[in-house]
Amino acid sequence: MKFGVIVFPGSNCDQDVYHVIRTVLRQQVNYIWHTETNLEGYDCVVLPGGFSYGDYLRAGAIARFAPVMPAVVEFARQGGLVLGICNGFQILLEAGLLPGAMLRNSCLKFRCQDTYLRVENNSTPFTNHFRKGQVIRMPIAHNEGNYYVDPETLRQLKDKGQVVFRYCTPEGEVTPEANPNGSLENIAGIINEGGNVLGLMPHPERCAEEVLGGIDGRELFASIIDWWSGKRAAGV
C-alpha cells in the first residue's frame, strides 16, 4: 500500500506519521510537498498536524488554498482514502471535504494531554480494528479543537453514522468533564458520507509504539492497511 504525507509550511507532525507508516507498519510512503498537483499512484493521503502557514487568519484557512488541495479534493472524489489529523482535520473542514468548523477551545487555552475516545463507528476503513463502543486512548495537542456544526447537519452526521470518535471517560461515558475543548457533543472525529475521508483531532501517530505509552493509534493505521488489502484481494 502506498501512502503520501502532505507537508505544508508549518507542518510539524509529518515526520511522526511517516515514521509510523514506514518503520512501524512497513508500508510505502512518500512526503508530498504542498506545491504538488498530482496524487496519482497513492492509496491513502495523510494531512498531518502542525500549524500550516502559521495558522494565520484561522487554523487551516490558508492551507485550504495550497496548490495540492485541488488534487486532494479530486483524490477523495474518486474514492481515495484521506486522513486528516489535528491541523489536517482543520484543513479538511476549510476545504469542504468534511462538514463543520473548528472554534477555539472553550477554555481558551492550548490543550496538550491524553484523552479517552469512544469508538462510535467501527465499520469504516479507518476503524475496523476496533470494537464499537471500545474506549481507546490518544493524545491531543491543539488550540482550536472545539468542533461545531449546525443542528441539522449534526442530526445528519449522527443518523448516517458519521461521528466516529467521541471524547469520554476511561469507563466510556460521554460527559462534559471528559470533553477537553468544548467540542459539540464531545465529537473528536468524523467521516464523510462516502466513508473515505476521516478527520480527527487526537494524534494516532503519537501512540503507535509501546515506548510512547500505548499502541491504540497503530490500530487506526493497521485498519487502513487491512481494509485496502481486503479490497485488493477482492479485485475492487
Side-chain angles (χ1 to χ4, degrees):
M1 183 174 187
K2 189 172 183 180
F3 288 81
V5 179
I6 298 179
V7 183
F8 299 96
S11 295
N12 65 10
C13 300
D14 45 311
Q15 293 185 41
D16 298 338
V17 173
Y18 185 98
H19 166 76
V20 170
I21 295 170
R22 182 171 184 175
T23 306
V24 178
L25 294 168
R26 302 187 181 279
Q27 301 295 311
Q28 276 189 284
V29 58
N30 291 333
Y31 290 116
I32 301 171
W33 190 232
H34 67 110
T35 57
E36 293 292 328
T37 57
N38 184 1
L39 298 180
E40 185 177 350
Y42 290 101
D43 302 301
C44 178
V45 171
V46 184
L47 283 68
F51 303 91
S52 58
Y53 298 91
D55 275 354
Y56 289 113
L57 300 183
R58 62 181 176 272
I62 297 179
R64 174 260 180 276
F65 293 102
V68 75
M69 287 308 297
V72 172
V73 172
E74 180 60 19
F75 180 78
R77 189 190 68 80
Q78 294 182 6
L81 297 181
V82 179
L83 172 63
I85 303 169
C86 197
N87 188 227
F89 185 9
Q90 295 163 339
I91 295 168
L92 293 179
L93 293 172
E94 291 286 340
L97 284 171
L98 291 171
M102 285 295 173
L103 309 177
R104 285 198 66 188
N105 296 344
S106 56
C107 62
L108 301 183
K109 295 179 181 178
F110 187 93
R111 299 301 297 268
C112 182
Q113 64 187 67
D114 276 348
T115 60
Y116 290 95
L117 308 174
R118 192 173 74 189
V119 179
E120 303 288 2
N121 183 349
N122 70 335
S123 62
T124 80
F126 309 90
T127 56
N128 56 77
H129 271 221
F130 302 116
R131 302 183 311 276
K132 185 174 182 179
Q134 181 179 348
V135 177
I136 60 177
R137 186 181 61 171
M138 288 188 194
I140 60 168
H142 57 249
N143 193 54
E144 294 91 7
N146 184 355
Y147 179 73
Y148 177 80
V149 72
D150 66 88
E152 176 57 23
T153 305
L154 175 63
R155 183 190 65 78
Q156 293 176 15
L157 287 175
K158 294 193 292 185
D159 289 348
K160 296 177 181 179
Q162 292 176 246
V163 176
V164 178
F165 298 108
R166 277 193 169 93
Y167 300 109
C168 68
T169 67
E171 296 75 31
E173 297 179 7
V174 176
T175 66
E177 293 73 24
N179 189 334
N181 50 35
S183 182
L184 186 66
E185 294 202 6
N186 286 46
I187 291 174
I190 62 171
I191 198 165
N192 69 330
E193 190 171 351
N196 64 309
V197 179
L198 174 72
L200 74 164
M201 289 309 294
H203 287 265
E205 79 282 6
R206 297 186 184 182
C207 54
E209 299 174 273
E210 292 286 4
V211 70
L212 297 179
I215 59 171
D216 286 340
R218 184 169 71 193
E219 297 308 304
L220 187 148
F221 291 101
S223 292
I224 296 171
I225 296 166
D226 280 0
W227 179 87
W228 179 85
S229 298
K231 182 179 177 182
R232 187 179 185 190
V236 179

